[in-house]
Amino acid sequence: MRNLFRFFLRNVHWVLFLLLLVFSVILIINNNQMQRSRYFVVVREVLGRFYSIVDVFQSYINLNVTNAELMRKVSELETEIYKYKNILELIKDSIQTTSINIDSLHAIVYQFIPARVVDNSILRKENYIILNKGSENGIESDMGVVSYNGIVGIVISTSPHFSEVISLLNPQLKLSCKIKNNDHFGPLIWDGKDSRYTCLTEFPNYVPIKIGDTIITSGYSAIFPEGIPVGIVTGLQKKKNDIYSTLKVKFFIDFGNLNEVLIVKNVYQKEQNDIRKIIVQ
């Protein structure tokens, strides 16, 4: 202990220098918008690369399980592709004698960019996810993120090679969703308690609800297409003399086992947002 004390006395000027340096950097970051922005880009890039390295080792350990899951998903997707090809052929046959332009059936509104989760939190009050795709891959803020089982979150910031996603397990994220059977909608907000469940709030009391009803995206924003599954209703909380109910919804997604995702790019998102701004004004 005495030697340690002597060491600090001999190097007190260096300790003071480091403390002042750290204090100066903090002041610059907190009081300068440009420096703060660059700082977070660098930090996000460094953290993203670190989590990528960790993810490589984890992926190697879980390789067999991951491959089996991917093969199962591929088989399901091939089945869906075959089904929709048949539906498309039926539509073509039914409109051959009409003036409808068949090319409109192939119009692409939403594009899906595959990405991998390199960091994910589920135990905090406000949870975020880091993906291994960034601005160099065409990823931008306000793009939706989905998995094969449903909604994951929304991109809030990017660096060249990574992007940060606000998870559905974050009370700051409100997502417009509806009941699949009757199209009545409300905001989906996580209550910060259980990562397996969320809440559909401000739902009209007069609308009939059944346990097991499916919750899907409403399509009322430019971020997600309509009809993406979110979860199922497992409970209903009605308050006396209140016109709204709160539905307890169990996620289809297991956020604790989230690996592969798709980033949703809406080709017409900017145009839709511009129209909304005009309407609001």
Side-chain angles (χ1 to χ4, degrees):
M1 178 63 75
R2 183 179 300 173
N3 291 334
L4 182 62
F5 183 74
R6 289 176 178 174
F7 173 81
F8 278 108
L9 284 179
R10 286 197 303 267
N11 297 277
V12 65
H13 55 288
W14 288 110
V15 174
L16 181 60
F17 170 77
L18 290 175
L19 290 175
L20 290 174
L21 179 62
V22 172
F23 182 71
S24 299
V25 171
I26 293 174
L27 286 178
I28 291 173
I29 292 173
N30 288 336
N31 295 283
N32 190 301
Q33 180 66 31
M34 180 179 297
Q35 298 297 334
R36 183 165 63 250
S37 176
R38 291 182 178 178
Y39 167 80
F40 284 119
V41 168
V42 172
V43 169
R44 192 178 301 113
E45 187 75 7
V46 171
L47 287 177
R49 292 189 182 278
F50 171 78
Y51 289 134
S52 292
I53 294 173
V54 174
D55 183 67
V56 168
F57 288 99
Q58 291 178 338
S59 298
Y60 180 79
I61 295 172
N62 299 319
L63 192 58
N64 291 332
V65 175
T66 301
N67 285 340
E69 177 68 11
L70 287 175
M71 289 303 297
R72 184 178 71 83
K73 295 299 181 182
V74 167
S75 64
E76 292 177 356
L77 290 173
E78 288 293 340
T79 302
E80 289 294 310
I81 289 171
Y82 179 79
K83 180 179 70 175
Y84 287 120
K85 280 183 177 178
N86 288 339
I87 293 174
L88 184 59
E89 290 299 323
L90 290 174
I91 295 174
K92 287 181 180 179
D93 293 339
S94 66
I95 64 176
Q96 280 180 349
T97 59
T98 71
S99 59
I100 298 176
N101 184 1
I102 190 66
D103 291 334
S104 63
L105 292 175
H106 301 281
I108 299 176
V109 177
Y110 292 96
Q111 299 174 353
F112 297 86
I113 304 169
R116 183 169 181 81
V117 175
V118 297
D119 184 51
N120 180 24
S121 63
I122 64 171
L123 299 178
R124 302 170 185 167
K125 291 183 178 180
E126 297 178 354
N127 294 285
Y128 296 88
I129 300 168
I130 295 180
L131 306 180
N132 68 342
K133 294 290 176 69
S135 56
E136 288 192 358
N137 306 104
I139 310 304
E140 300 175 357
S141 298
D142 293 331
M143 285 186 175
V145 180
V146 301
S147 78
Y148 297 111
N149 296 320
I151 297 293
V152 173
I154 297 175
V155 176
I156 56 173
S157 61
T158 63
S159 67
H161 303 100
F162 300 94
S163 55
E164 185 179 12
V165 176
I166 182 170
S167 167
L168 281 184
L169 302 180
N170 192 318
Q172 294 186 28
L173 178 59
K174 296 181 181 181
L175 182 66
S176 177
C177 294
K178 65 181 181 179
I179 303 292
K180 185 176 181 180
N181 296 332
N182 56 38
D183 287 341
H184 283 85
F185 65 94
L188 190 81
I189 307 173
W190 188 52
D191 59 7
K193 296 179 180 178
D194 193 329
S195 64
R196 298 171 299 171
Y197 297 91
T198 186
C199 298
L200 188 67
T201 60
E202 301 177 18
F203 199 82
N205 268 337
Y206 61 82
V207 179
I209 298 295
K210 295 180 182 178
I211 302 299
D213 279 348
T214 299
I215 305 298
I216 60 176
T217 53
S218 65
Y220 293 157
S221 74
I223 298 176
F224 294 106
E226 178 184 359
I228 298 181
V230 176
I232 59 171
V233 177
T234 59
L236 175 64
Q237 180 181 359
K238 290 185 177 181
K239 294 182 179 179
K240 195 173 182 179
N241 300 324
D242 197 350
I243 60 174
Y244 295 109
S245 301
T246 298
L247 310 183
K248 185 176 182 180
V249 178
K250 184 176 183 180
F251 287 118
F252 286 131
I253 291 178
D254 179 3
F255 280 90
N257 186 30
L258 194 61
N259 297 303
E260 306 292 333
V261 297
L262 296 172
I263 301 174
V264 184
K265 180 180 181 180
N266 181 355
V267 177
Y268 302 116
Q269 184 172 18
K270 184 179 183 302
E271 184 177 343
Q272 288 179 256
N273 289 336
D274 289 344
I275 289 295
R276 286 193 175 92
K277 290 178 182 178
I278 294 174
I279 293 175
V280 170
Q281 291 176 355

Coordinates of all heavy atoms in Angstrom, one line a residue, residues 140-222:
E140 N -30.9 3.2 -43.7 CA -31.2 4.5 -43.2 C -32.0 4.5 -42.0 O -32.7 3.5 -41.7 CB -31.8 5.4 -44.3 CG -31.0 5.5 -45.6 CD -31.8 6.2 -46.7 OE1 -33.0 6.6 -46.4 OE2 -31.3 6.4 -47.8
S141 N -32.1 5.6 -41.3 CA -33.0 5.7 -40.1 C -34.4 5.6 -40.6 O -34.8 5.9 -41.7 CB -32.8 7.1 -39.4 OG -31.5 7.2 -38.9
D142 N -35.3 5.1 -39.7 CA -36.7 4.9 -39.9 C -37.0 3.8 -40.8 O -38.1 3.7 -41.4 CB -37.4 6.2 -40.4 CG -37.4 7.3 -39.4 OD1 -37.4 7.0 -38.2 OD2 -37.3 8.5 -39.8
M143 N -36.1 2.9 -41.0 CA -36.4 1.6 -41.7 C -36.9 0.6 -40.7 O -36.3 0.5 -39.6 CB -35.2 1.1 -42.5 CG -34.9 1.9 -43.8 SD -33.5 1.1 -44.7 CE -33.5 2.1 -46.1
G144 N -37.9 -0.2 -41.1 CA -38.4 -1.2 -40.2 C -37.5 -2.4 -40.2 O -36.7 -2.7 -41.1
V145 N -37.6 -3.2 -39.1 CA -36.8 -4.4 -39.0 C -37.8 -5.5 -38.5 O -38.5 -5.4 -37.6 CB -35.7 -4.3 -37.9 CG1 -34.9 -5.6 -37.8 CG2 -34.7 -3.2 -38.3
V146 N -37.7 -6.6 -39.3 CA -38.6 -7.8 -39.0 C -37.8 -9.1 -39.0 O -36.6 -9.1 -39.4 CB -39.7 -7.9 -40.0 CG1 -40.6 -6.7 -40.1 CG2 -39.1 -8.3 -41.4
S147 N -38.3 -10.1 -38.4 CA -37.7 -11.4 -38.4 C -38.7 -12.3 -39.2 O -39.7 -11.8 -39.7 CB -37.5 -12.0 -37.0 OG -38.7 -12.5 -36.5
Y148 N -38.4 -13.6 -39.3 CA -39.3 -14.5 -40.0 C -40.6 -14.7 -39.2 O -41.6 -15.1 -39.8 CB -38.6 -15.9 -40.2 CG -37.3 -15.8 -41.0 CD1 -36.1 -16.0 -40.4 CD2 -37.4 -15.5 -42.4 CE1 -34.9 -15.9 -41.2 CE2 -36.3 -15.5 -43.1 CZ -35.0 -15.7 -42.6 OH -33.9 -15.6 -43.3
N149 N -40.6 -14.3 -37.9 CA -41.8 -14.5 -37.1 C -42.6 -13.2 -36.8 O -43.7 -13.3 -36.3 CB -41.4 -15.2 -35.8 CG -40.8 -16.5 -36.0 OD1 -41.3 -17.3 -36.8 ND2 -39.8 -16.9 -35.3
G150 N -42.0 -12.1 -37.2 CA -42.8 -10.8 -36.9 C -41.9 -9.6 -36.8 O -40.8 -9.6 -37.2
I151 N -42.5 -8.6 -36.1 CA -41.8 -7.3 -36.0 C -40.7 -7.3 -35.0 O -40.9 -7.9 -33.9 CB -42.9 -6.2 -35.7 CG1 -43.9 -6.1 -36.8 CG2 -42.2 -4.8 -35.4 CD1 -43.4 -5.5 -38.0
V152 N -39.6 -6.6 -35.2 CA -38.5 -6.5 -34.3 C -38.3 -5.1 -33.8 O -38.2 -4.9 -32.6 CB -37.2 -7.0 -35.0 CG1 -36.0 -6.7 -34.0 CG2 -37.3 -8.4 -35.4
G153 N -38.3 -4.1 -34.7 CA -38.1 -2.7 -34.2 C -37.9 -1.8 -35.4 O -38.2 -2.1 -36.5
I154 N -37.3 -0.6 -35.2 CA -37.1 0.4 -36.2 C -35.6 0.9 -36.1 O -35.2 1.2 -35.0 CB -38.1 1.6 -36.0 CG1 -39.5 1.1 -36.2 CG2 -37.8 2.7 -37.0 CD1 -40.6 2.1 -36.0
V155 N -35.0 1.1 -37.2 CA -33.6 1.6 -37.2 C -33.7 3.1 -36.8 O -34.5 3.9 -37.3 CB -33.0 1.5 -38.6 CG1 -31.6 2.2 -38.7 CG2 -32.9 0.1 -39.1
I156 N -32.8 3.5 -35.9 CA -32.8 4.9 -35.4 C -31.5 5.6 -35.8 O -31.4 6.8 -35.8 CB -33.0 5.0 -33.9 CG1 -32.0 4.2 -33.1 CG2 -34.4 4.6 -33.5 CD1 -32.0 4.4 -31.6
S157 N -30.4 4.9 -36.0 CA -29.1 5.5 -36.4 C -28.2 4.5 -37.1 O -28.4 3.3 -36.9 CB -28.4 6.1 -35.2 OG -28.1 5.2 -34.3
T158 N -27.3 5.0 -37.9 CA -26.4 4.1 -38.6 C -25.0 4.6 -38.6 O -24.7 5.8 -38.5 CB -26.8 3.9 -40.1 OG1 -26.7 5.2 -40.8 CG2 -28.2 3.4 -40.2
S159 N -24.0 3.7 -38.7 CA -22.6 4.0 -39.1 C -22.4 3.3 -40.4 O -23.3 2.7 -40.9 CB -21.7 3.5 -38.0 OG -21.7 2.1 -37.9
P160 N -21.2 3.5 -41.0 CA -21.0 2.8 -42.3 C -21.3 1.3 -42.3 O -21.8 0.9 -43.3 CB -19.5 3.1 -42.5 CG -19.2 4.4 -41.8 CD -20.0 4.3 -40.6
H161 N -21.0 0.6 -41.3 CA -21.1 -0.9 -41.3 C -22.1 -1.4 -40.3 O -22.4 -2.7 -40.3 CB -19.8 -1.5 -41.1 CG -18.7 -1.1 -42.1 ND1 -17.8 -0.2 -41.8 CD2 -18.5 -1.4 -43.4 CE1 -17.0 0.0 -42.8 NE2 -17.4 -0.7 -43.8
F162 N -22.7 -0.6 -39.5 CA -23.6 -1.1 -38.5 C -24.8 -0.1 -38.3 O -24.8 1.0 -38.7 CB -22.9 -1.2 -37.1 CG -21.8 -2.2 -37.1 CD1 -20.5 -1.7 -37.4 CD2 -22.0 -3.5 -36.9 CE1 -19.4 -2.6 -37.4 CE2 -20.9 -4.4 -37.0 CZ -19.6 -3.9 -37.2
S163 N -25.9 -0.7 -37.7 CA -27.1 0.2 -37.5 C -27.6 -0.2 -36.1 O -27.6 -1.3 -35.6 CB -28.2 0.0 -38.6 OG -28.5 -1.4 -38.7
E164 N -28.2 0.9 -35.5 CA -28.8 0.7 -34.2 C -30.3 0.7 -34.3 O -30.9 1.5 -35.0 CB -28.4 1.9 -33.2 CG -28.9 1.7 -31.8 CD -28.4 2.8 -30.9 OE1 -27.9 3.8 -31.4 OE2 -28.6 2.7 -29.7
V165 N -31.0 -0.2 -33.6 CA -32.4 -0.5 -33.8 C -33.1 -0.3 -32.4 O -32.6 -0.9 -31.4 CB -32.7 -1.9 -34.3 CG1 -34.2 -2.1 -34.4 CG2 -32.1 -2.1 -35.7
I166 N -34.1 0.5 -32.3 CA -34.9 0.6 -31.1 C -35.9 -0.6 -31.2 O -36.7 -0.8 -32.1 CB -35.7 1.9 -31.0 CG1 -36.5 1.9 -29.7 CG2 -36.6 2.2 -32.2 CD1 -37.1 3.3 -29.4
S167 N -35.8 -1.5 -30.2 CA -36.5 -2.7 -30.1 C -38.0 -2.5 -29.7 O -38.3 -1.4 -29.1 CB -35.8 -3.7 -29.1 OG -36.7 -4.8 -28.8
L168 N -38.8 -3.4 -30.0 CA -40.2 -3.4 -29.5 C -40.2 -3.5 -28.0 O -41.2 -3.1 -27.3 CB -41.1 -4.5 -30.1 CG -41.6 -4.3 -31.5 CD1 -42.5 -5.5 -31.9 CD2 -42.4 -3.0 -31.6
L169 N -39.1 -3.9 -27.4 CA -39.0 -4.0 -26.0 C -38.4 -2.6 -25.5 O -37.4 -2.6 -24.8 CB -38.1 -5.1 -25.5 CG -38.5 -6.5 -26.0 CD1 -37.5 -7.5 -25.5 CD2 -39.9 -6.9 -25.5
N170 N -39.1 -1.6 -25.8 CA -38.7 -0.2 -25.5 C -40.0 0.7 -25.4 O -40.6 0.8 -26.4 CB -37.7 0.3 -26.5 CG -37.0 1.6 -26.0 OD1 -37.7 2.5 -25.4 ND2 -35.7 1.7 -26.2
P171 N -40.3 1.2 -24.2 CA -41.5 2.0 -24.1 C -41.6 3.2 -25.0 O -42.6 3.8 -25.2 CB -41.6 2.4 -22.6 CG -40.7 1.4 -22.0 CD -39.6 1.0 -23.0
Q172 N -40.4 3.7 -25.5 CA -40.4 4.8 -26.4 C -40.9 4.6 -27.8 O -41.2 5.5 -28.5 CB -38.9 5.4 -26.5 CG -38.4 5.9 -25.2 CD -37.0 6.6 -25.3 OE1 -36.7 7.1 -26.4 NE2 -36.2 6.6 -24.3
L173 N -41.0 3.3 -28.1 CA -41.5 2.9 -29.5 C -43.0 2.6 -29.4 O -43.4 1.7 -28.7 CB -40.7 1.7 -30.0 CG -41.1 1.2 -31.4 CD1 -41.0 2.3 -32.4 CD2 -40.3 0.0 -31.8
K174 N -43.7 3.3 -30.2 CA -45.2 3.1 -30.3 C -45.4 2.7 -31.8 O -45.1 3.4 -32.7 CB -46.0 4.3 -30.0 CG -45.8 4.8 -28.5 CD -46.7 6.0 -28.2 CE -46.5 6.4 -26.7 NZ -47.3 7.6 -26.4
L175 N -46.1 1.6 -31.9 CA -46.3 1.0 -33.3 C -47.8 0.8 -33.5 O -48.5 0.2 -32.6 CB -45.6 -0.3 -33.4 CG -45.7 -1.0 -34.7 CD1 -45.0 -0.2 -35.8 CD2 -45.1 -2.4 -34.6
S176 N -48.4 1.3 -34.6 CA -49.8 1.2 -34.9 C -50.1 -0.3 -35.3 O -49.5 -0.7 -36.3 CB -50.2 2.1 -36.0 OG -51.5 2.0 -36.3
C177 N -50.9 -0.9 -34.6 CA -51.3 -2.3 -34.9 C -52.8 -2.5 -34.8 O -53.5 -1.7 -34.3 CB -50.6 -3.3 -33.9 SG -48.8 -3.3 -34.1
K178 N -53.3 -3.6 -35.4 CA -54.7 -3.9 -35.4 C -55.0 -5.3 -35.2 O -54.2 -6.2 -35.3 CB -55.3 -3.4 -36.7 CG -54.9 -4.1 -37.9 CD -55.5 -3.6 -39.2 CE -55.0 -4.4 -40.4 NZ -55.6 -3.8 -41.7
I179 N -56.3 -5.6 -34.9 CA -56.8 -7.0 -34.8 C -57.0 -7.5 -36.2 O -57.6 -6.8 -37.1 CB -58.1 -7.1 -34.0 CG1 -58.0 -6.5 -32.6 CG2 -58.6 -8.5 -33.9 CD1 -57.1 -7.3 -31.7
K180 N -56.5 -8.7 -36.5 CA -56.6 -9.2 -37.9 C -58.0 -9.4 -38.3 O -58.3 -9.2 -39.5 CB -55.8 -10.5 -37.9 CG -55.7 -11.1 -39.3 CD -54.9 -12.4 -39.3 CE -54.7 -13.0 -40.7 NZ -53.9 -14.2 -40.7
N181 N -58.9 -9.8 -37.4 CA -60.3 -10.2 -37.8 C -61.2 -9.0 -38.0 O -62.2 -9.1 -38.8 CB -60.9 -11.1 -36.7 CG -60.1 -12.4 -36.6 OD1 -59.5 -12.9 -37.6 ND2 -60.1 -13.1 -35.4
N182 N -60.9 -7.9 -37.3 CA -61.9 -6.8 -37.5 C -61.3 -5.4 -37.8 O -62.0 -4.4 -38.0 CB -62.7 -6.6 -36.1 CG -61.8 -6.4 -34.9 OD1 -60.8 -5.7 -35.0 ND2 -62.2 -7.0 -33.8
D183 N -60.0 -5.3 -38.0 CA -59.3 -4.1 -38.5 C -59.3 -3.0 -37.5 O -58.8 -1.9 -37.8 CB -59.8 -3.7 -39.8 CG -59.4 -4.6 -40.9 OD1 -58.4 -5.3 -40.8 OD2 -60.0 -4.5 -42.0
H184 N -59.8 -3.1 -36.3 CA -59.7 -2.1 -35.3 C -58.3 -2.0 -34.8 O -57.7 -3.0 -34.5 CB -60.7 -2.3 -34.1 CG -62.1 -2.0 -34.5 ND1 -62.9 -2.9 -35.1 CD2 -62.8 -0.9 -34.3 CE1 -64.1 -2.3 -35.3 NE2 -64.1 -1.1 -34.8
F185 N -57.8 -0.7 -34.6 CA -56.4 -0.6 -34.3 C -56.1 0.2 -33.0 O -57.0 0.9 -32.5 CB -55.7 0.1 -35.5 CG -56.2 1.6 -35.7 CD1 -55.5 2.6 -35.2 CD2 -57.3 1.8 -36.5 CE1 -55.9 3.9 -35.4 CE2 -57.8 3.1 -36.7 CZ -57.1 4.2 -36.1
G186 N -54.9 0.3 -32.6 CA -54.4 1.0 -31.5 C -52.9 1.0 -31.4 O -52.3 0.2 -32.1
P187 N -52.3 1.8 -30.5 CA -50.8 1.8 -30.4 C -50.3 0.6 -29.6 O -50.9 0.3 -28.5 CB -50.5 3.1 -29.7 CG -51.8 3.5 -29.0 CD -52.9 2.9 -29.7
L188 N -49.3 0.0 -30.1 CA -48.6 -1.1 -29.4 C -47.5 -0.5 -28.6 O -46.6 0.1 -29.1 CB -48.1 -2.2 -30.4 CG -47.6 -3.5 -29.8 CD1 -48.8 -4.4 -29.5 CD2 -46.7 -4.2 -30.7
I189 N -47.5 -0.7 -27.2 CA -46.5 -0.1 -26.4 C -46.0 -1.2 -25.3 O -46.9 -1.8 -24.7 CB -47.0 1.1 -25.6 CG1 -47.5 2.1 -26.6 CG2 -45.8 1.7 -24.8 CD1 -48.2 3.3 -26.0
W190 N -44.7 -1.4 -25.2 CA -44.2 -2.3 -24.2 C -44.3 -1.7 -22.8 O -44.0 -0.5 -22.6 CB -42.8 -2.7 -24.5 CG -42.2 -3.8 -23.7 CD1 -42.8 -5.1 -23.4 CD2 -41.0 -3.8 -22.9 NE1 -42.0 -5.8 -22.6 CE2 -40.9 -5.1 -22.3 CE3 -40.0 -2.9 -22.8 CZ2 -39.8 -5.4 -21.5 CZ3 -38.9 -3.2 -22.0 CH2 -38.8 -4.4 -21.3
D191 N -44.7 -2.5 -21.8 CA -44.9 -1.9 -20.5 C -43.6 -2.1 -19.6 O -43.6 -1.7 -18.4 CB -46.1 -2.6 -19.7 CG -45.9 -4.1 -19.6 OD1 -44.8 -4.6 -20.0 OD2 -46.9 -4.8 -19.2
G192 N -42.5 -2.6 -20.2 CA -41.3 -2.7 -19.5 C -41.2 -3.9 -18.5 O -40.2 -3.9 -17.7
K193 N -42.1 -4.8 -18.6 CA -42.1 -5.9 -17.6 C -41.5 -7.2 -18.1 O -40.5 -7.7 -17.7 CB -43.5 -6.1 -17.1 CG -44.1 -4.9 -16.3 CD -45.5 -5.2 -15.9 CE -46.1 -4.0 -15.1 NZ -47.5 -4.2 -14.7
D194 N -42.2 -7.8 -19.0 CA -41.8 -9.2 -19.5 C -41.5 -9.1 -21.0 O -42.3 -8.6 -21.8 CB -43.0 -10.1 -19.3 CG -42.6 -11.6 -19.5 OD1 -41.7 -11.9 -20.3 OD2 -43.2 -12.4 -18.8
S195 N -40.3 -9.6 -21.4 CA -39.9 -9.6 -22.8 C -40.7 -10.5 -23.7 O -40.6 -10.4 -24.9 CB -38.4 -10.0 -22.9 OG -38.2 -11.3 -22.5
R196 N -41.6 -11.3 -23.1 CA -42.5 -12.1 -23.9 C -43.8 -11.5 -24.3 O -44.5 -12.0 -25.2 CB -42.7 -13.5 -23.2 CG -41.5 -14.3 -22.9 CD -41.9 -15.4 -22.0 NE -42.4 -15.0 -20.7 CZ -42.9 -15.7 -19.8 NH1 -43.0 -17.1 -20.0 NH2 -43.4 -15.2 -18.6
Y197 N -44.1 -10.4 -23.6 CA -45.4 -9.8 -23.8 C -45.3 -8.3 -24.0 O -44.4 -7.6 -23.6 CB -46.3 -10.0 -22.5 CG -46.6 -11.5 -22.2 CD1 -45.7 -12.2 -21.4 CD2 -47.7 -12.1 -22.8 CE1 -46.0 -13.5 -21.2 CE2 -48.0 -13.4 -22.5 CZ -47.1 -14.1 -21.7 OH -47.4 -15.5 -21.5
T198 N -46.4 -7.7 -24.7 CA -46.5 -6.3 -24.9 C -48.0 -5.9 -24.7 O -48.8 -6.8 -24.3 CB -46.0 -5.9 -26.3 OG1 -46.0 -4.5 -26.4 CG2 -46.9 -6.5 -27.4
C199 N -48.3 -4.7 -24.9 CA -49.7 -4.2 -24.7 C -50.2 -3.4 -25.9 O -49.5 -2.6 -26.5 CB -49.8 -3.3 -23.5 SG -49.3 -4.1 -21.9
L200 N -51.4 -3.7 -26.3 CA -52.1 -2.9 -27.3 C -53.1 -2.0 -26.6 O -54.1 -2.5 -26.0 CB -52.9 -3.8 -28.3 CG -53.5 -3.1 -29.5 CD1 -52.4 -2.5 -30.4 CD2 -54.4 -4.0 -30.3
T201 N -52.8 -0.7 -26.5 CA -53.5 0.2 -25.7 C -54.6 1.0 -26.5 O -54.6 0.9 -27.7 CB -52.5 1.2 -25.0 OG1 -51.8 1.9 -26.0 CG2 -51.5 0.4 -24.2
E202 N -55.4 1.7 -25.8 CA -56.4 2.6 -26.4 C -57.3 1.9 -27.3 O -57.6 2.4 -28.4 CB -55.7 3.8 -27.1 CG -54.9 4.7 -26.1 CD -54.1 5.8 -26.9 OE1 -54.6 6.1 -28.0 OE2 -53.2 6.3 -26.3
F203 N -57.6 0.7 -27.0 CA -58.5 -0.1 -27.8 C -60.0 0.0 -27.4 O -60.3 -0.1 -26.2 CB -58.1 -1.6 -27.8 CG -58.6 -2.4 -28.9 CD1 -57.9 -2.4 -30.1 CD2 -59.7 -3.2 -28.8 CE1 -58.3 -3.2 -31.2 CE2 -60.2 -3.9 -29.9 CZ -59.5 -3.9 -31.1
P204 N -60.9 0.4 -28.4 CA -62.2 0.6 -28.0 C -62.9 -0.5 -27.3 O -62.8 -1.7 -27.7 CB -62.9 0.9 -29.4 CG -61.8 1.3 -30.3 CD -60.6 0.5 -29.8
N205 N -63.6 -0.2 -26.2 CA -64.3 -1.2 -25.4 C -65.5 -1.9 -26.1 O -65.8 -3.1 -25.8 CB -64.9 -0.6 -24.1 CG -63.9 -0.7 -23.0 OD1 -63.0 -1.5 -23.0 ND2 -64.0 0.2 -22.0
Y206 N -66.1 -1.2 -27.1 CA -67.2 -1.8 -27.8 C -66.8 -2.9 -28.8 O -67.7 -3.6 -29.3 CB -68.0 -0.7 -28.5 CG -67.3 0.1 -29.5 CD1 -67.2 -0.4 -30.8 CD2 -66.7 1.3 -29.2 CE1 -66.5 0.3 -31.8 CE2 -66.0 2.0 -30.2 CZ -65.9 1.5 -31.5 OH -65.2 2.2 -32.4
V207 N -65.6 -3.0 -29.1 CA -65.1 -4.0 -30.1 C -65.0 -5.3 -29.5 O -64.3 -5.5 -28.5 CB -63.8 -3.5 -30.7 CG1 -63.3 -4.6 -31.8 CG2 -63.9 -2.2 -31.4
P208 N -65.6 -6.4 -30.0 CA -65.5 -7.7 -29.5 C -64.1 -8.3 -29.6 O -63.5 -8.2 -30.7 CB -66.5 -8.5 -30.3 CG -66.7 -7.8 -31.5 CD -66.5 -6.3 -31.2
I209 N -63.5 -8.8 -28.5 CA -62.2 -9.4 -28.6 C -62.2 -10.8 -28.0 O -63.0 -11.1 -27.1 CB -61.2 -8.5 -27.7 CG1 -61.1 -7.1 -28.2 CG2 -59.9 -9.2 -27.6 CD1 -60.5 -7.0 -29.5
K210 N -61.5 -11.7 -28.7 CA -61.3 -13.0 -28.2 C -59.9 -13.3 -27.9 O -59.0 -12.9 -28.5 CB -61.8 -14.0 -29.3 CG -63.3 -13.9 -29.7 CD -63.6 -14.9 -30.7 CE -65.1 -14.8 -31.1 NZ -65.4 -15.7 -32.2
I211 N -59.7 -14.1 -26.8 CA -58.4 -14.6 -26.5 C -57.9 -15.5 -27.6 O -58.6 -16.4 -28.1 CB -58.4 -15.4 -25.2 CG1 -58.9 -14.6 -24.0 CG2 -57.0 -15.9 -24.9 CD1 -58.1 -13.3 -23.7
G212 N -56.7 -15.2 -28.1 CA -56.2 -15.9 -29.3 C -56.2 -15.1 -30.6 O -55.7 -15.6 -31.6
D213 N -56.9 -14.0 -30.6 CA -57.0 -13.1 -31.8 C -55.5 -12.7 -32.1 O -54.7 -12.4 -31.3 CB -57.8 -11.9 -31.5 CG -59.3 -12.2 -31.7 OD1 -59.6 -13.2 -32.2 OD2 -60.1 -11.3 -31.3
T214 N -55.3 -12.6 -33.4 CA -53.9 -12.3 -33.9 C -53.8 -10.7 -34.1 O -54.7 -10.1 -34.6 CB -53.7 -12.9 -35.3 OG1 -53.7 -14.4 -35.1 CG2 -52.3 -12.6 -35.8
I215 N -52.7 -10.2 -33.6 CA -52.4 -8.8 -33.8 C -51.4 -8.6 -35.0 O -50.4 -9.4 -35.0 CB -51.7 -8.2 -32.5 CG1 -52.7 -8.4 -31.3 CG2 -51.5 -6.7 -32.7 CD1 -54.0 -7.8 -31.4
I216 N -51.7 -7.7 -35.9 CA -50.8 -7.5 -37.0 C -50.5 -6.0 -37.2 O -51.2 -5.2 -36.6 CB -51.4 -8.0 -38.3 CG1 -52.8 -7.4 -38.6 CG2 -51.6 -9.5 -38.3 CD1 -53.4 -7.7 -39.9
T217 N -49.6 -5.6 -38.0 CA -49.3 -4.2 -38.3 C -50.5 -3.6 -39.1 O -51.1 -4.3 -40.0 CB -48.0 -4.0 -39.1 OG1 -48.1 -4.9 -40.3 CG2 -46.8 -4.4 -38.3
S218 N -50.8 -2.4 -38.8 CA -52.0 -1.7 -39.5 C -51.7 -1.2 -40.9 O -52.5 -1.0 -41.7 CB -52.5 -0.6 -38.6 OG -51.5 0.5 -38.6
G219 N -50.4 -0.9 -41.2 CA -50.0 -0.4 -42.5 C -50.2 1.1 -42.5 O -50.2 1.7 -43.6
Y220 N -50.5 1.8 -41.4 CA -50.8 3.2 -41.3 C -49.6 4.1 -41.3 O -49.7 5.3 -41.3 CB -51.7 3.6 -40.1 CG -53.1 3.0 -40.2 CD1 -53.8 2.7 -39.1 CD2 -53.6 2.6 -41.5 CE1 -55.1 2.2 -39.2 CE2 -54.9 2.0 -41.5 CZ -55.6 1.8 -40.4 OH -56.9 1.3 -40.5
S221 N -48.4 3.5 -41.3 CA -47.1 4.2 -41.3 C -46.4 3.8 -42.6 O -46.8 2.8 -43.3 CB -46.3 4.0 -40.1 OG -45.7 2.7 -40.2
A222 N -45.4 4.6 -43.0 CA -44.6 4.3 -44.2 C -43.4 3.3 -43.8 O -42.6 3.0 -44.7 CB -44.1 5.5 -44.8

